[in-house]
Amino acid sequence: MPRTTISTPAAPAEVLDLRHAAAQSPDETLTALGTTSEGLTSDEAANRLARVGHNVLASRRVTLFGVLVRQLRNPLLILLLGAAMVSGVTGDPTDAIIISSIVVLSVGLGFFNEYRSELAAAALHDGIHHQTIVWRDGTSRTIDVADLVPGDVVELSVGNIVPADMRLIRATQFECDEAVLTGESVPAEKSAASAEPGDSSVDLPSCSFMGTVVHQGSARGVVVSTGSATAFGKIAVGLSEHQAETAFQVGLKSFSKLLVVVAAVLTISIFVINVAFSRPLIDALLFSLAIAIGITPQLLPAIVSVSLSAGSRQLARRRVLVKRLVTIEDLGNIEVLFCDKTGTLTDGAITFDRALGADRAASDHALLLGLVCNESTMTDAGPVGGNSLDQALLAAPDATRLNAPDGVGGFTRLGALPFDHDRQLASVTINEPDGSTLLVTKGAPEVVLSRCDDAPAGASSVLDGLFNDGARVVAIATKPTHGGEPVPDDEHGLSFVGFLAFVDRPKADAGESIRKLNDLGVAVKIITGDNGTVAAKVCRDIGMEPGAVLTGGQLDALDDDELAVAIPETTVFARVSPDQKS
């Protein structure tokens, strides 16, 4: 590609909200960011990098002193150290050594384990490097994602990890796996067309988010946010912030403070009383300090550490990893458990459920035509190519194994028109066993029904029923044709055949787990990025009454007091963004 010179408009917007960019046209976003579809110049990129910093996630710096301070942030340890010093000063070195050893052992074990974990996490973070294709000075080049800045234009293709929050300016059959943000198993369809934001902060069809993975197609996008300003970065920042104290820590700290107060009051009171009765000053002081040392539970830190460690080992045998020992006690005190839906209550993978005709009866013919009009192929390793619904259809237990596209059910495929997001359809032409030629069209049910002549009256009610069941639906229609390669104009005047329904099935033991939690007095709430209808259907399938459904948009309209009132009355929180989950 020949090298060209481009100019970058001056005074770009330092900060552009991604939701605002999603509703703008691509050209408006480029203008607002002070860039063009051919990207920035190298000089401008360097200037912006100096202003906004590298495209990296903020993380807490690991220091010996910081880890040590967290171990010593306990009034009881301070009291024990004071007792050890008093014992040493008053001529009781044995007690001083024993108490000091207990403190050093307790602090040392916690310090060693936490510092080692912090270093391992930091080393893992520093060892990860990614590169991406970016347009600079009118040509494409590969750079480290850490050097991306707002206004950079990036190329994305299948398998790429999206390096920043981006507004798409061109997209071809583009889909992203956004499970890292939403937890949903089905890739999100993307396009460059302007779109108003949905209920969730990550429901932006014209944008791609840092950390998500390109599942299908290709795209070009302009970087809007980098580093900690991205949706993924905000989550990382939240995780690196100082964690709130658990109820166990609060209780232990309160008990330690009580001991300190009691010891101080007793020491002063006994000393004053002894002095009042004309006892020797030194004897009075030593006696009062001995009382203070006597009421100090020297072994309490060790007992706490041993008890929590024992609990950690028991949980490990049940395949539960404990990152912070002090959270174990809180685990036993849970009254309300918020859990995700996809992958927690469900299998986390879309599967074929059933094929239905307009009369609600099972339709093997619709299933067979769906297998013929399919962009995936079956290999020894499983279905490959196509979208997740095509792959799920091929992998269905009641589907015919597709060894070759031209041999399914006696049909011979003559030509194909691939699916695209604008048409929301895919078509093939086939020879039927009787020698006639047929066009088979598969796609979004609303679009397929609109292309049918005299669609059966019951089709719409069947579709509504499938949607109410939380299914993802594909419609099948046909018409006689002349053969050869189909074209978009052929996808009209169709005859409806049936629907293919796909679901993310509940886990076999999810219902039993919920019942066990309820028997233990734990109420379970579902918090998901999926829509409320799907989440409510999953609840019913596992034996939970969904009750009222609260969406992410409705959550934003509530203050803390209103939310506190709504939580006990709500089972399902739907279309919830990652920051709202937090």
Side-chain angles (χ1 to χ4, degrees):
M1 181 178 295
R3 187 180 184 88
T4 59
T5 301
I6 62 172
S7 60
T8 301
E14 293 292 338
V15 178
L16 179 63
D17 181 68
L18 193 65
R19 292 170 66 86
H20 181 63
Q24 292 180 324
S25 69
D27 288 341
E28 288 173 330
T29 303
L30 291 170
T31 301
L33 289 169
T35 186
T36 71
S37 60
E38 296 297 312
L40 300 169
T41 63
S42 296
D43 290 341
E44 177 61 20
N47 291 335
R48 296 190 184 194
L49 186 63
R51 288 200 304 269
V52 303
H54 287 281
N55 179 33
V56 295
L57 304 181
S59 59
R60 187 174 58 200
R61 187 178 298 277
V62 182
T63 64
L64 284 167
F65 181 75
V67 176
L68 183 60
V69 167
R70 289 197 292 273
Q71 305 304 314
L72 294 173
R73 199 178 295 155
N74 187 333
L76 182 58
L77 290 178
I78 297 174
L79 179 61
L80 290 175
L81 288 173
M85 291 176 60
V86 170
S87 296
V89 170
T90 57
D92 193 352
T94 302
D95 278 358
I97 293 173
I98 291 174
I99 297 173
S100 298
S101 299
I102 292 172
V103 172
V104 170
L105 180 63
S106 179
V107 172
L109 285 174
F111 172 81
F112 174 75
N113 288 325
E114 184 172 340
Y115 187 64
R116 184 176 60 176
S117 299
E118 294 269 13
L119 287 179
L124 181 62
H125 177 77
D126 293 340
I128 297 175
H129 295 280
H130 292 292
Q131 292 189 317
T132 191
I133 298 176
V134 65
W135 287 83
R136 294 270 178 90
D137 300 315
T139 63
S140 61
R141 64 183 67 175
T142 300
I143 67 169
D144 194 292
V145 297
D147 295 329
L148 284 178
V149 295
D152 267 328
V153 174
V154 177
E155 295 286 346
L156 298 172
S157 58
V158 174
N160 288 164
I161 298 175
V162 180
D165 283 0
M166 303 168 59
R167 170 64 166 93
L168 301 177
I169 58 178
R170 176 184 58 77
T172 304
Q173 308 295 312
F174 195 58
E175 294 182 0
C176 285
D177 181 350
E178 296 183 343
V180 68
L181 293 176
T182 65
E184 300 312 312
S185 55
V186 177
E189 297 180 0
K190 302 290 183 178
S191 75
S194 303
E196 291 297 326
D199 292 332
S200 169
S201 62
V202 293
D203 185 12
L204 303 176
S206 58
C207 300
S208 289
F209 299 92
M210 173 190 274
T212 61
V213 180
V214 179
H215 179 265
Q216 177 178 302
S218 61
R220 179 182 292 186
V222 58
V223 174
V224 176
S225 303
T226 60
S228 300
T230 64
F232 189 82
K234 291 174 183 176
I235 296 174
V237 170
L239 291 175
S240 66
E241 289 175 350
H242 177 68
Q243 294 172 316
E245 290 183 327
T246 67
F248 177 68
Q249 287 176 298
V250 172
L252 189 60
K253 182 175 290 187
S254 297
F255 176 66
S256 301
K257 290 180 178 177
L258 176 63
L259 284 178
V260 171
V261 172
V262 170
V265 171
L266 282 177
T267 300
I268 295 172
S269 299
I270 292 171
F271 178 74
V272 170
I273 292 172
N274 276 271
V275 171
F277 282 95
S278 302
R279 298 292 178 86
L281 191 63
I282 297 298
D283 290 346
L285 178 61
L286 292 177
F287 181 70
S288 60
L289 290 176
I291 294 296
I293 294 172
I295 68 170
T296 303
Q298 289 92 343
L299 288 176
L300 182 59
I303 292 172
V304 169
S305 296
V306 171
S307 299
L308 293 179
S309 297
S312 176
R313 288 194 298 272
Q314 290 186 30
L315 289 172
R317 284 195 289 270
R318 294 173 178 267
R319 295 185 295 178
V320 178
L321 297 179
V322 179
K323 185 178 180 181
R324 300 172 64 208
L325 287 180
V326 291
T327 61
I328 292 177
E329 199 268 351
D330 272 10
L331 180 63
N333 287 337
I334 288 178
E335 295 178 350
V336 180
L337 173 66
F338 290 87
C339 71
D340 195 18
K341 175 184 70 68
T342 305
T344 303
L345 299 179
T346 68
D347 291 330
I350 202 76
T351 58
F352 174 70
D353 182 42
R354 51 189 162 154
L356 298 178
D359 57 356
R360 298 182 186 273
S363 175
D364 290 338
H365 186 52
L367 172 59
L368 186 58
L369 292 179
L371 291 168
V372 175
C373 185
N374 196 303
E375 297 181 26
S376 296
T377 55
M378 182 64 75
T379 67
D380 292 339
V384 296
N387 58 42
S388 57
L389 299 184
D390 279 346
Q391 294 179 6
L393 188 61
L394 285 189
D398 53 350
T400 303
R401 181 176 176 81
L402 189 59
N403 290 314
D406 297 333
V408 179
F411 296 108
T412 302
R413 193 182 325 198
L414 303 176
L417 180 61
F419 178 89
D420 73 49
H421 295 306
D422 293 328
R423 292 171 27 252
Q424 300 186 61
L425 298 171
S427 296
V428 296
T429 51
I430 59 172
N431 269 341
E432 297 189 89
D434 62 4
S436 59
T437 305
L438 195 67
L439 175 76
V440 180
T441 297
K442 179 176 72 174
E446 300 89 346
V447 178
V448 171
L449 288 175
S450 70
R451 304 291 183 95
C452 291
D453 291 341
D454 300 324
S460 294
S461 62
V462 173
L463 179 60
D464 290 340
L466 291 173
F467 282 153
N468 289 333
D469 286 343
R472 300 181 187 275
V473 185
V474 171
I476 303 289
T478 64
K479 79 171 185 179
T481 186
H482 53 77
E485 294 289 340
V487 295
D489 288 343
D490 294 334
E491 297 169 330
H492 295 273
L494 305 173
S495 298
F496 177 79
V497 174
F499 296 113
L500 305 177
F502 301 82
V503 296
D504 182 7
R505 300 183 188 279
K507 289 184 176 179
D509 59 352
E512 180 61 25
S513 297
I514 297 296
R515 284 188 288 274
K516 287 181 178 179
L517 286 168
N518 290 337
D519 291 342
L520 292 171
V522 178
V524 179
K525 311 284 187 181
I526 311 302
I527 183 166
T528 177
D530 208 344
N531 69 66
T533 301
V534 174
K537 175 62 167 56
V538 171
C539 285
R540 288 191 290 269
D541 287 345
I542 62 177
M544 292 177 62
E545 178 54 46
V549 176
L550 201 62
T551 67
Q554 292 170 323
L555 280 176
D556 283 337
L558 301 179
D559 60 28
D560 288 347
D561 293 336
E562 292 171 331
L563 180 59
V565 172
I567 286 176
E569 303 172 353
T570 307
T571 300
V572 175
F573 298 84
R575 291 300 186 197
V576 176
S577 65
D579 54 336
Q580 287 175 325
K581 287 184 179 183
S582 177

Short mmCIF file of all heavy atoms in Angstrom, two decimals, residues 10 16 20 23 55-56 81 93 159-160 178 220 236 252-253 260 271 310 329 337 372 381 403 462 483-484 512 537 543:
data_model
loop_
_atom_site.label_atom_id
_atom_site.label_comp_id
_atom_site.label_asym_id
_atom_site.label_seq_id
_atom_site.Cartn_x
_atom_site.Cartn_y
_atom_site.Cartn_z
N ALA A 10 -7.16 19.70 14.62
CA ALA A 10 -6.65 20.14 15.93
C ALA A 10 -7.75 20.06 16.98
O ALA A 10 -8.93 19.94 16.68
CB ALA A 10 -6.12 21.56 15.82
N LEU A 16 -14.48 11.28 25.28
CA LEU A 16 -15.74 11.09 24.55
C LEU A 16 -16.45 9.89 25.15
O LEU A 16 -15.88 8.80 25.22
CB LEU A 16 -15.48 10.87 23.06
CG LEU A 16 -16.72 10.64 22.18
CD1 LEU A 16 -17.63 11.87 22.20
CD2 LEU A 16 -16.32 10.31 20.75
N HIS A 20 -22.37 7.97 23.98
CA HIS A 20 -22.65 9.08 23.08
C HIS A 20 -22.11 8.78 21.68
O HIS A 20 -22.77 9.05 20.68
CB HIS A 20 -22.02 10.36 23.63
CG HIS A 20 -22.26 11.57 22.79
ND1 HIS A 20 -23.53 12.09 22.56
CD2 HIS A 20 -21.40 12.37 22.10
CE1 HIS A 20 -23.43 13.14 21.78
NE2 HIS A 20 -22.16 13.35 21.49
N ALA A 23 -24.32 6.50 19.49
CA ALA A 23 -25.48 7.12 18.85
C ALA A 23 -25.10 8.06 17.71
O ALA A 23 -25.95 8.49 16.93
CB ALA A 23 -26.31 7.88 19.89
N ASN A 55 -2.14 2.50 27.33
CA ASN A 55 -3.37 1.74 27.35
C ASN A 55 -3.17 0.48 28.20
O ASN A 55 -3.14 -0.65 27.70
CB ASN A 55 -3.77 1.36 25.91
CG ASN A 55 -5.03 0.54 25.85
OD1 ASN A 55 -5.94 0.71 26.66
ND2 ASN A 55 -5.09 -0.38 24.90
N VAL A 56 -3.02 0.68 29.50
CA VAL A 56 -2.82 -0.43 30.44
C VAL A 56 -3.78 -0.24 31.60
O VAL A 56 -4.25 0.88 31.87
CB VAL A 56 -1.38 -0.50 30.96
CG1 VAL A 56 -0.41 -0.81 29.82
CG2 VAL A 56 -0.98 0.81 31.63
N LEU A 81 2.09 -6.95 71.55
CA LEU A 81 3.44 -6.39 71.50
C LEU A 81 3.72 -5.55 72.74
O LEU A 81 4.83 -5.58 73.30
CB LEU A 81 3.61 -5.54 70.23
CG LEU A 81 3.71 -6.31 68.91
CD1 LEU A 81 3.71 -5.34 67.73
CD2 LEU A 81 4.97 -7.18 68.87
N PRO A 93 11.62 -12.37 80.94
CA PRO A 93 11.98 -12.57 79.54
C PRO A 93 11.29 -13.77 78.90
O PRO A 93 11.07 -13.79 77.69
CB PRO A 93 13.50 -12.75 79.59
CG PRO A 93 13.77 -13.24 80.97
CD PRO A 93 12.76 -12.57 81.86
N GLY A 159 -10.74 -13.95 16.10
CA GLY A 159 -9.76 -14.38 17.08
C GLY A 159 -9.06 -13.26 17.81
O GLY A 159 -8.42 -13.49 18.84
N ASN A 160 -9.15 -12.02 17.29
CA ASN A 160 -8.51 -10.88 17.97
C ASN A 160 -9.19 -10.58 19.30
O ASN A 160 -10.40 -10.70 19.43
CB ASN A 160 -8.59 -9.63 17.10
CG ASN A 160 -7.68 -9.67 15.89
OD1 ASN A 160 -7.84 -8.88 14.97
ND2 ASN A 160 -6.72 -10.58 15.86
N GLU A 178 -18.79 -11.40 24.17
CA GLU A 178 -18.71 -10.43 25.26
C GLU A 178 -18.95 -11.06 26.62
O GLU A 178 -19.33 -10.39 27.59
CB GLU A 178 -19.70 -9.29 25.01
CG GLU A 178 -19.38 -8.48 23.76
CD GLU A 178 -20.31 -7.30 23.54
OE1 GLU A 178 -21.39 -7.30 24.17
OE2 GLU A 178 -19.96 -6.40 22.76
N ARG A 220 -13.35 -2.40 11.30
CA ARG A 220 -12.41 -1.32 11.58
C ARG A 220 -13.10 -0.39 12.56
O ARG A 220 -14.27 -0.05 12.39
CB ARG A 220 -12.04 -0.56 10.30
CG ARG A 220 -11.07 0.60 10.54
CD ARG A 220 -10.76 1.35 9.25
NE ARG A 220 -9.99 0.54 8.31
CZ ARG A 220 -9.48 0.99 7.17
NH1 ARG A 220 -9.66 2.27 6.83
NH2 ARG A 220 -8.81 0.19 6.37
N ALA A 236 -11.37 -3.71 36.47
CA ALA A 236 -10.05 -4.01 37.02
C ALA A 236 -9.68 -3.05 38.13
O ALA A 236 -9.11 -3.44 39.15
CB ALA A 236 -9.01 -3.96 35.90
N LEU A 252 -13.66 -8.93 65.06
CA LEU A 252 -12.39 -9.20 65.73
C LEU A 252 -11.72 -7.89 66.16
O LEU A 252 -11.14 -7.80 67.25
CB LEU A 252 -11.47 -9.99 64.79
CG LEU A 252 -10.18 -10.54 65.40
CD1 LEU A 252 -10.47 -11.50 66.54
CD2 LEU A 252 -9.33 -11.23 64.32
N LYS A 253 -11.82 -6.88 65.29
CA LYS A 253 -11.22 -5.59 65.63
C LYS A 253 -11.95 -4.96 66.81
O LYS A 253 -11.32 -4.38 67.72
CB LYS A 253 -11.27 -4.67 64.42
CG LYS A 253 -10.62 -3.32 64.65
CD LYS A 253 -10.58 -2.49 63.37
CE LYS A 253 -9.61 -3.07 62.36
NZ LYS A 253 -9.44 -2.18 61.18
N VAL A 260 -8.28 -3.86 74.72
CA VAL A 260 -7.34 -2.77 74.98
C VAL A 260 -7.93 -1.81 76.01
O VAL A 260 -7.25 -1.37 76.96
CB VAL A 260 -7.01 -2.02 73.67
CG1 VAL A 260 -6.22 -0.75 73.96
CG2 VAL A 260 -6.24 -2.92 72.72
N PHE A 271 -3.57 0.45 89.65
CA PHE A 271 -2.42 1.25 90.04
C PHE A 271 -2.84 2.38 90.99
O PHE A 271 -2.19 2.62 92.03
CB PHE A 271 -1.76 1.82 88.79
CG PHE A 271 -0.57 2.69 89.07
CD1 PHE A 271 0.64 2.16 89.49
CD2 PHE A 271 -0.68 4.08 88.95
CE1 PHE A 271 1.72 2.97 89.77
CE2 PHE A 271 0.39 4.90 89.24
CZ PHE A 271 1.60 4.34 89.64
N ALA A 310 -7.84 -24.29 58.81
CA ALA A 310 -8.54 -25.57 58.79
C ALA A 310 -9.79 -25.48 57.92
O ALA A 310 -10.09 -26.40 57.14
CB ALA A 310 -8.90 -25.98 60.21
N GLU A 329 -15.43 -16.93 57.44
CA GLU A 329 -16.49 -16.76 58.43
C GLU A 329 -17.71 -16.09 57.80
O GLU A 329 -18.85 -16.47 58.09
CB GLU A 329 -15.96 -15.94 59.60
CG GLU A 329 -16.79 -16.07 60.87
CD GLU A 329 -17.86 -15.00 60.99
OE1 GLU A 329 -17.84 -14.05 60.17
OE2 GLU A 329 -18.70 -15.11 61.88
N LEU A 337 -27.68 -14.61 48.56
CA LEU A 337 -26.64 -14.92 47.59
C LEU A 337 -27.06 -14.42 46.21
O LEU A 337 -28.11 -14.82 45.69
CB LEU A 337 -26.38 -16.43 47.53
CG LEU A 337 -25.42 -16.90 46.43
CD1 LEU A 337 -24.02 -16.37 46.69
CD2 LEU A 337 -25.40 -18.42 46.34
N VAL A 372 -29.55 -28.54 6.11
CA VAL A 372 -29.09 -28.30 4.75
C VAL A 372 -28.62 -26.86 4.58
O VAL A 372 -27.56 -26.59 4.00
CB VAL A 372 -30.22 -28.61 3.74
CG1 VAL A 372 -29.78 -28.23 2.32
CG2 VAL A 372 -30.59 -30.08 3.79
N ALA A 381 -13.44 -33.05 15.56
CA ALA A 381 -13.35 -32.24 16.77
C ALA A 381 -14.66 -31.53 17.09
O ALA A 381 -14.76 -30.85 18.11
CB ALA A 381 -12.24 -31.21 16.64
N ASN A 403 -21.63 -35.16 7.13
CA ASN A 403 -20.30 -35.50 6.64
C ASN A 403 -19.93 -34.68 5.41
O ASN A 403 -18.77 -34.34 5.20
CB ASN A 403 -20.23 -36.98 6.29
CG ASN A 403 -20.27 -37.85 7.53
OD1 ASN A 403 -19.59 -37.57 8.50
ND2 ASN A 403 -21.10 -38.87 7.51
N VAL A 462 -46.94 -19.17 17.89
CA VAL A 462 -45.89 -20.14 18.21
C VAL A 462 -44.59 -19.41 18.51
O VAL A 462 -43.88 -19.73 19.48
CB VAL A 462 -45.70 -21.14 17.06
CG1 VAL A 462 -44.48 -22.03 17.32
CG2 VAL A 462 -46.94 -21.99 16.86
N GLY A 483 -32.71 -22.92 -9.57
CA GLY A 483 -31.40 -23.51 -9.28
C GLY A 483 -30.30 -22.49 -9.44
O GLY A 483 -30.52 -21.30 -9.67
N GLY A 484 -29.07 -22.96 -9.31
CA GLY A 484 -27.91 -22.08 -9.40
C GLY A 484 -27.69 -21.33 -8.11
O GLY A 484 -28.26 -21.63 -7.07
N GLU A 512 -31.49 -28.45 42.55
CA GLU A 512 -31.19 -29.07 43.83
C GLU A 512 -30.28 -28.18 44.67
O GLU A 512 -30.45 -28.07 45.90
CB GLU A 512 -30.53 -30.43 43.60
CG GLU A 512 -30.16 -31.18 44.87
CD GLU A 512 -31.38 -31.51 45.72
OE1 GLU A 512 -32.50 -31.59 45.19
OE2 GLU A 512 -31.19 -31.67 46.95
N LYS A 537 -37.54 -17.48 32.79
CA LYS A 537 -37.79 -18.86 32.34
C LYS A 537 -36.82 -19.82 32.99
O LYS A 537 -37.20 -20.92 33.44
CB LYS A 537 -37.64 -18.93 30.82
CG LYS A 537 -37.77 -20.33 30.22
CD LYS A 537 -39.13 -20.93 30.48
CE LYS A 537 -39.38 -22.17 29.63
NZ LYS A 537 -38.39 -23.22 29.78
N GLY A 543 -37.14 -24.37 39.45
CA GLY A 543 -37.98 -24.40 40.63
C GLY A 543 -38.00 -23.13 41.45
O GLY A 543 -38.44 -23.15 42.60
#
